[in-house]
Amino acid sequence: MTEKVAVITGSAGGLGKGIAERLANDGFDIVLHDINQDLLNETEKEFTDNGFKVTSFVGDVSKREDQFALVKHAVDTFGRLDVFVNNAGVEAVTPLMDIDEKELSKLFSINAFGMLFGTQAAAAQFIKQGGGGKIISASSIAGHESYPMLGTYSATKHVVRSFTQTASKELAKYKINVNAYAPGVAKTKMWDRIDAEMVKQDPSLKPGDAFAQYTADISLGRYEVPTDVANLVSFLASPDSDYITGQTILVDGGMVYR
């Protein structure tokens, strides 16, 4: 592969880090991004020690100017941009009747607005370069089917699907592919938090019960690991996916069937 550059938001840990590792092994120069400076520094050092070409950028995806500054940093460092992964996201576990303005503002700002701003920043650079490029965003099984206690999170992930479709239609003339990945239940810190909050909301549950209940529905019989998602993103970032756009692809081991 000729030298290419990939930005992955929210990549200091979790699924984002797994995606960044896979793309680095695929030969991409990597721009790590996170709002957590300390964790980001640790991950950048790890990548450097592994011989990857990497830089990092601290930013808040909910701020449009930060997303454009992230793309500028990538171009200033490596000279171009080829793939932008809108991975950063947050969750909330709340009964429908208790959802308030604060929760809505936080989750929509990060999960939905952040995805849009990242898409805008990446597309502007792709167009400036003469067209072509891949934008890949994090939706979820909750972007295909809404779940109890995860109403706000599910709504934001449906928004990601919608913006993915709109962007794919508007940007196709520039040969920019826009797709999304929809993970299922992974053993990550996010799911640890979801499990803990489910226990708070239902005293009959013990720690680990909610995670066990959700993973019991997986047809392939195991929970997701970062490489499962990274494998799909690797494909979407490659020339093999050049004829795919506007899709939100489930990678959940068999939970949601559409």
Side-chain angles (χ1 to χ4, degrees):
M1 186 183 77
T2 57
E3 197 164 23
K4 291 189 176 183
V5 180
V7 171
I8 307 94
T9 68
S11 51
L15 296 181
K17 180 181 177 182
I19 291 167
E21 287 175 334
R22 174 57 191 266
L23 294 182
N25 280 310
D26 287 346
F28 282 86
D29 297 342
I30 299 296
V31 182
L32 297 169
H33 163 281
D34 212 277
I35 200 168
N36 185 329
Q37 173 80 74
D38 293 338
L39 187 58
L40 187 61
N41 289 343
E42 292 176 13
T43 303
E44 182 179 12
K45 182 179 184 304
E46 181 181 332
F47 275 52
T48 300
D49 291 345
N50 286 332
F52 299 139
K53 290 185 67 175
V54 61
T55 185
S56 64
F57 185 88
V58 178
D60 180 346
V61 295
S62 71
K63 296 179 179 178
R64 192 173 187 268
E65 62 271 21
D66 276 23
Q67 295 285 60
F68 278 81
L70 169 59
V71 169
K72 183 178 186 302
H73 175 76
V75 176
D76 287 347
T77 304
F78 293 124
R80 61 178 293 109
L81 178 67
D82 298 279
V83 171
F84 192 98
V85 183
N86 288 300
N87 174 76
V90 292
E91 80 294 335
V93 180
T94 310
L96 181 73
M97 298 299 288
D98 295 335
I99 296 172
D100 59 18
E101 294 93 336
K102 183 178 179 181
E103 176 178 312
L104 290 166
S105 178
K106 178 181 178 181
L107 267 69
F108 273 89
S109 292
I110 296 171
N111 296 356
F113 303 167
M115 177 267 178
L116 173 61
F117 298 152
T119 298
Q120 291 173 333
Q125 178 61 31
F126 292 151
I127 293 168
K128 184 178 180 180
Q129 290 173 182
K134 303 291 181 73
I135 298 171
I136 309 165
S137 303
S139 183
S140 168
I141 54 172
H144 281 273
E145 179 177 329
S146 297
Y147 291 89
M149 310 295 289
L150 295 170
T152 305
Y153 180 75
S154 298
T156 63
K157 292 306 183 177
H158 276 76
V159 171
V160 170
R161 284 184 65 202
S162 179
F163 275 141
T164 295
Q165 292 180 9
T166 299
S168 73
K169 294 174 181 179
E170 293 193 21
L171 298 175
K173 63 184 177 183
Y174 302 109
K175 300 190 184 305
I176 298 171
N177 298 72
V178 188
N179 292 292
Y181 51 99
V185 181
K187 189 61 176 172
T188 60
K189 289 182 179 179
M190 175 180 283
W191 250 100
D192 288 343
R193 292 191 297 268
I194 291 174
D195 186 89
E197 287 298 319
M198 291 284 190
V199 171
K200 289 180 184 178
Q201 298 293 341
D202 184 350
S204 70
L205 294 175
K206 300 188 300 293
D209 281 355
F211 185 80
Q213 289 173 8
Y214 274 93
T215 54
D217 293 332
I218 299 174
S219 296
L220 292 180
R222 66 169 176 85
Y223 60 75
E224 191 159 39
V225 295
T227 53
D228 295 320
V229 178
N231 290 339
L232 173 59
V233 176
S234 173
F235 167 70
L236 292 174
S238 77
D240 290 341
S241 67
D242 282 354
Y243 200 61
I244 300 173
T245 197
Q247 305 306 305
T248 297
I249 302 174
L250 287 156
V251 52
D252 64 357
M255 291 184 71
V256 175
Y257 290 85
R258 294 288 184 270

